[in-house]
Amino acid sequence: MKRYFLAFIMLISFFNSEAQIEEDKPKLVVGIVVDQMRYDYLTRFWNKFGEDGFKRLINDGFSFKNNHFNYIPTYTGPGHASVFTGTTPAAHGIISNSWFNKFEDKVVYCAGDDSVESVGTESPVGKMSPHRMLSTTFADENRLHTQMKGKTIGIALKDRGAILPAGHTANAAYWFHGQDEAKWITSTFYMNELPQWVKDFNNSGKAKTYLKPWNTLQDITAYTESGDDETNFEFGFQGKETATFPYNLPELASKNGQYEIIKATPFGNDLTAEFAKAAIEGEALGQDGITDVLTLSFSSTDYVGHNFGVNSKEIQDTYLRLDLALADFLKYLDQKIGEDEYTVFLTADHGGVDVPAYLNTRRIPAGYFNDIKAKELLEAYVKNEFKADSLIQNVSNTQVFLDYDVLAQEDLDCDKVQEKIAHYLLQQPYISRVYTRDQLQTGAFTNGIGYLIQQGYHQKRSGDVLFVLDPGYIIYPEKGTTHGSGFLYDTHVPLIFYGKGIEKGSTYERSEIPDIAPTISSFLGISFPNAATGKPLTEILEK
């Protein structure tokens, strides 16, 4: 009798816990990705931030201070896909922003889709969809769980930053088309005509108001957390001799893509936040008892980083302004959704390396890898070694693709060819490691660079030989910065959870990007994304 009574108590407890999950669900989940945000931007600029943006998220939320990407390459497309699918390119298939498709014998774009049409513009820049992403996102799973009643909207200046996080079942994804239009657009993958609220926003001319002079938010002499304003390490804008404040955007626009220039300033983030508010209003997000999802990517930080580098006055000003935009957006959520009715997480899609030319001035080993010359030398070596023309089909993204038809015609052993190419590449300057397809498909790396390569390696889409550059070496011009490696400057990014159901605190325990989607899924009581490999971060859940 006692056993049956205990079973009855456990059953009651189970139903109570399930009811509690439903009760604790937020009305809106906002997944924020800050493009190219290194973790140390939080600590470097902390004393200049206000109290209601980044500081509010950290002080009143839960911060993972040792959060990393666990794969290579650390690019925008793979980063956004990994955050929301809970897995790595090995499973979700977004192995880069663009990659060589050996089956089509051409380079393909991660969000490109010629089967759809642009909506909101006559330009082909709207021919985009998530069809190359092979797995679901947590937003997809929320849609399925709620019988498609919970809405999903994706927003970013970049198409891939809007499309990949929102997933395959999204109600819509919107991205910004500058040029001479300054419009938010989408594709026929989602709809055949823009909703009235988007038309109204575009017709209001609000986007065009961000084409205005850009000067520092605070006195530039107070920006002691960044380098000199005038250096040899920045590109700047066409039409201005020096990369120094102020920037007269209306005067510079004609030589810098017209309204496209807005993307490369902090005003692009402001515009994104304003459009996000319009989306919440227009789609009535968070206005009922069914959880909606808004995916929001701030892309301007990446454009500014590429242009000016991670130690520039411009990047500091961009983050101080983003801090204000976040504070304003959180206040809006308080008023529109309710202070304890929404949950936010904030992370990044990758970090960024200090400009190698700058590092050289500090006597730190760093530099530039000439991939064009390296390819020419590799092709000459292969032709001489194997007496075969066109054996290499493509070299891109530090991957070598072999032509299997030529291998068969010349009766060459694929594994031996890979081994010889790998041995040759390892002798070249600035290449630190080389991996073959055979190694990655038959071996199992448990740590280090080999593990990161393997997690980013997709058997059908990746190449036959992959190489890794030395720390601080990049394939990029000698000004501005980039990303893509497995070194800490590219993998270490913020991860903050805030809002309904989130415990306050922080940890230095390691967390990884694929942990985010399973955490949100667990929080919502829905299925994990179908290829998820991460684990729920239980530290954030209120006890």
PDB file of all heavy atoms in Angstrom, residues 11-25:
ATOM      1  N   LEU A  11       3.431  10.788  -9.174  1.00  0.00           N
ATOM      2  CA  LEU A  11       2.632  11.155 -10.337  1.00  0.00           C
ATOM      3  C   LEU A  11       2.086  12.576 -10.198  1.00  0.00           C
ATOM      4  O   LEU A  11       2.126  13.376 -11.144  1.00  0.00           O
ATOM      5  CB  LEU A  11       1.475  10.165 -10.501  1.00  0.00           C
ATOM      6  CG  LEU A  11       0.646  10.279 -11.790  1.00  0.00           C
ATOM      7  CD1 LEU A  11       1.529  10.040 -13.001  1.00  0.00           C
ATOM      8  CD2 LEU A  11      -0.510   9.286 -11.766  1.00  0.00           C
ATOM      9  N   ILE A  12       1.589  12.893  -9.008  1.00  0.00           N
ATOM     10  CA  ILE A  12       1.093  14.246  -8.751  1.00  0.00           C
ATOM     11  C   ILE A  12       2.221  15.262  -8.934  1.00  0.00           C
ATOM     12  O   ILE A  12       2.041  16.329  -9.528  1.00  0.00           O
ATOM     13  CB  ILE A  12       0.505  14.351  -7.332  1.00  0.00           C
ATOM     14  CG1 ILE A  12      -0.762  13.502  -7.219  1.00  0.00           C
ATOM     15  CG2 ILE A  12       0.216  15.795  -6.971  1.00  0.00           C
ATOM     16  CD1 ILE A  12      -1.891  13.953  -8.109  1.00  0.00           C
ATOM     17  N   SER A  13       3.412  14.916  -8.424  1.00  0.00           N
ATOM     18  CA  SER A  13       4.577  15.797  -8.546  1.00  0.00           C
ATOM     19  C   SER A  13       4.938  16.036  -9.989  1.00  0.00           C
ATOM     20  O   SER A  13       5.271  17.150 -10.397  1.00  0.00           O
ATOM     21  CB  SER A  13       5.764  15.195  -7.794  1.00  0.00           C
ATOM     22  OG  SER A  13       6.905  15.994  -7.960  1.00  0.00           O
ATOM     23  N   PHE A  14       4.842  14.956 -10.815  1.00  0.00           N
ATOM     24  CA  PHE A  14       5.172  15.078 -12.242  1.00  0.00           C
ATOM     25  C   PHE A  14       4.229  16.068 -12.931  1.00  0.00           C
ATOM     26  O   PHE A  14       4.653  16.973 -13.641  1.00  0.00           O
ATOM     27  CB  PHE A  14       5.084  13.712 -12.909  1.00  0.00           C
ATOM     28  CG  PHE A  14       5.160  13.762 -14.411  1.00  0.00           C
ATOM     29  CD1 PHE A  14       6.379  13.952 -15.048  1.00  0.00           C
ATOM     30  CD2 PHE A  14       4.017  13.660 -15.195  1.00  0.00           C
ATOM     31  CE1 PHE A  14       6.449  14.008 -16.438  1.00  0.00           C
ATOM     32  CE2 PHE A  14       4.081  13.721 -16.574  1.00  0.00           C
ATOM     33  CZ  PHE A  14       5.306  13.888 -17.198  1.00  0.00           C
ATOM     34  N   PHE A  15       2.919  15.885 -12.671  1.00  0.00           N
ATOM     35  CA  PHE A  15       1.952  16.777 -13.323  1.00  0.00           C
ATOM     36  C   PHE A  15       2.102  18.213 -12.837  1.00  0.00           C
ATOM     37  O   PHE A  15       1.930  19.164 -13.600  1.00  0.00           O
ATOM     38  CB  PHE A  15       0.536  16.270 -13.084  1.00  0.00           C
ATOM     39  CG  PHE A  15       0.167  15.089 -13.946  1.00  0.00           C
ATOM     40  CD1 PHE A  15      -0.161  13.870 -13.372  1.00  0.00           C
ATOM     41  CD2 PHE A  15       0.168  15.191 -15.321  1.00  0.00           C
ATOM     42  CE1 PHE A  15      -0.490  12.778 -14.174  1.00  0.00           C
ATOM     43  CE2 PHE A  15      -0.164  14.107 -16.131  1.00  0.00           C
ATOM     44  CZ  PHE A  15      -0.489  12.899 -15.549  1.00  0.00           C
ATOM     45  N   ASN A  16       2.432  18.374 -11.569  1.00  0.00           N
ATOM     46  CA  ASN A  16       2.661  19.720 -11.044  1.00  0.00           C
ATOM     47  C   ASN A  16       3.856  20.374 -11.709  1.00  0.00           C
ATOM     48  O   ASN A  16       3.845  21.560 -12.019  1.00  0.00           O
ATOM     49  CB  ASN A  16       2.866  19.671  -9.528  1.00  0.00           C
ATOM     50  CG  ASN A  16       1.548  19.494  -8.780  1.00  0.00           C
ATOM     51  OD1 ASN A  16       0.494  19.737  -9.338  1.00  0.00           O
ATOM     52  ND2 ASN A  16       1.636  19.051  -7.528  1.00  0.00           N
ATOM     53  N   SER A  17       4.932  19.578 -11.931  1.00  0.00           N
ATOM     54  CA  SER A  17       6.144  20.135 -12.560  1.00  0.00           C
ATOM     55  C   SER A  17       5.873  20.511 -14.002  1.00  0.00           C
ATOM     56  O   SER A  17       6.375  21.518 -14.501  1.00  0.00           O
ATOM     57  CB  SER A  17       7.303  19.128 -12.474  1.00  0.00           C
ATOM     58  OG  SER A  17       7.024  17.968 -13.235  1.00  0.00           O
ATOM     59  N   GLU A  18       5.071  19.663 -14.700  1.00  0.00           N
ATOM     60  CA  GLU A  18       4.730  19.993 -16.080  1.00  0.00           C
ATOM     61  C   GLU A  18       3.883  21.262 -16.138  1.00  0.00           C
ATOM     62  O   GLU A  18       4.073  22.116 -17.009  1.00  0.00           O
ATOM     63  CB  GLU A  18       3.979  18.819 -16.729  1.00  0.00           C
ATOM     64  CG  GLU A  18       4.829  17.585 -16.941  1.00  0.00           C
ATOM     65  CD  GLU A  18       6.015  17.855 -17.833  1.00  0.00           C
ATOM     66  OE1 GLU A  18       5.812  18.258 -18.996  1.00  0.00           O
ATOM     67  OE2 GLU A  18       7.149  17.697 -17.360  1.00  0.00           O
ATOM     68  N   ALA A  19       2.978  21.400 -15.209  1.00  0.00           N
ATOM     69  CA  ALA A  19       2.154  22.610 -15.153  1.00  0.00           C
ATOM     70  C   ALA A  19       3.006  23.829 -14.854  1.00  0.00           C
ATOM     71  O   ALA A  19       2.784  24.910 -15.393  1.00  0.00           O
ATOM     72  CB  ALA A  19       1.070  22.447 -14.086  1.00  0.00           C
ATOM     73  N   GLN A  20       4.027  23.624 -14.010  1.00  0.00           N
ATOM     74  CA  GLN A  20       4.924  24.729 -13.669  1.00  0.00           C
ATOM     75  C   GLN A  20       5.699  25.199 -14.882  1.00  0.00           C
ATOM     76  O   GLN A  20       5.915  26.390 -15.086  1.00  0.00           O
ATOM     77  CB  GLN A  20       5.891  24.286 -12.564  1.00  0.00           C
ATOM     78  CG  GLN A  20       6.728  25.427 -11.980  1.00  0.00           C
ATOM     79  CD  GLN A  20       5.871  26.415 -11.209  1.00  0.00           C
ATOM     80  OE1 GLN A  20       4.928  26.022 -10.555  1.00  0.00           O
ATOM     81  NE2 GLN A  20       6.183  27.687 -11.309  1.00  0.00           N
ATOM     82  N   ILE A  21       6.139  24.224 -15.740  1.00  0.00           N
ATOM     83  CA  ILE A  21       6.861  24.581 -16.969  1.00  0.00           C
ATOM     84  C   ILE A  21       5.984  25.478 -17.842  1.00  0.00           C
ATOM     85  O   ILE A  21       6.427  26.505 -18.356  1.00  0.00           O
ATOM     86  CB  ILE A  21       7.269  23.309 -17.742  1.00  0.00           C
ATOM     87  CG1 ILE A  21       8.425  22.601 -17.021  1.00  0.00           C
ATOM     88  CG2 ILE A  21       7.709  23.668 -19.164  1.00  0.00           C
ATOM     89  CD1 ILE A  21       8.809  21.277 -17.636  1.00  0.00           C
ATOM     90  N   GLU A  22       4.722  25.082 -18.005  1.00  0.00           N
ATOM     91  CA  GLU A  22       3.819  25.883 -18.829  1.00  0.00           C
ATOM     92  C   GLU A  22       3.633  27.272 -18.241  1.00  0.00           C
ATOM     93  O   GLU A  22       3.610  28.280 -18.941  1.00  0.00           O
ATOM     94  CB  GLU A  22       2.467  25.169 -18.953  1.00  0.00           C
ATOM     95  CG  GLU A  22       2.502  23.896 -19.797  1.00  0.00           C
ATOM     96  CD  GLU A  22       2.916  24.171 -21.229  1.00  0.00           C
ATOM     97  OE1 GLU A  22       2.446  25.165 -21.810  1.00  0.00           O
ATOM     98  OE2 GLU A  22       3.718  23.390 -21.771  1.00  0.00           O
ATOM     99  N   GLU A  23       3.501  27.329 -16.922  1.00  0.00           N
ATOM    100  CA  GLU A  23       3.276  28.603 -16.253  1.00  0.00           C
ATOM    101  C   GLU A  23       4.488  29.517 -16.341  1.00  0.00           C
ATOM    102  O   GLU A  23       4.352  30.737 -16.429  1.00  0.00           O
ATOM    103  CB  GLU A  23       2.922  28.331 -14.790  1.00  0.00           C
ATOM    104  CG  GLU A  23       2.549  29.579 -13.998  1.00  0.00           C
ATOM    105  CD  GLU A  23       2.186  29.245 -12.566  1.00  0.00           C
ATOM    106  OE1 GLU A  23       1.449  28.250 -12.368  1.00  0.00           O
ATOM    107  OE2 GLU A  23       2.640  29.959 -11.659  1.00  0.00           O
ATOM    108  N   ASP A  24       5.686  28.930 -16.323  1.00  0.00           N
ATOM    109  CA  ASP A  24       6.913  29.713 -16.299  1.00  0.00           C
ATOM    110  C   ASP A  24       7.389  30.131 -17.682  1.00  0.00           C
ATOM    111  O   ASP A  24       8.394  30.820 -17.804  1.00  0.00           O
ATOM    112  CB  ASP A  24       8.032  28.918 -15.607  1.00  0.00           C
ATOM    113  CG  ASP A  24       7.805  28.827 -14.099  1.00  0.00           C
ATOM    114  OD1 ASP A  24       6.996  29.613 -13.591  1.00  0.00           O
ATOM    115  OD2 ASP A  24       8.435  27.970 -13.460  1.00  0.00           O
ATOM    116  N   LYS A  25       6.712  29.697 -18.721  1.00  0.00           N
ATOM    117  CA  LYS A  25       7.162  30.053 -20.059  1.00  0.00           C
ATOM    118  C   LYS A  25       7.026  31.554 -20.294  1.00  0.00           C
ATOM    119  O   LYS A  25       6.006  32.156 -19.954  1.00  0.00           O
ATOM    120  CB  LYS A  25       6.333  29.313 -21.114  1.00  0.00           C
ATOM    121  CG  LYS A  25       6.700  27.844 -21.277  1.00  0.00           C
ATOM    122  CD  LYS A  25       5.916  27.243 -22.425  1.00  0.00           C
ATOM    123  CE  LYS A  25       6.278  25.787 -22.631  1.00  0.00           C
ATOM    124  NZ  LYS A  25       5.561  25.205 -23.792  1.00  0.00           N
TER     125      LYS A  25
END
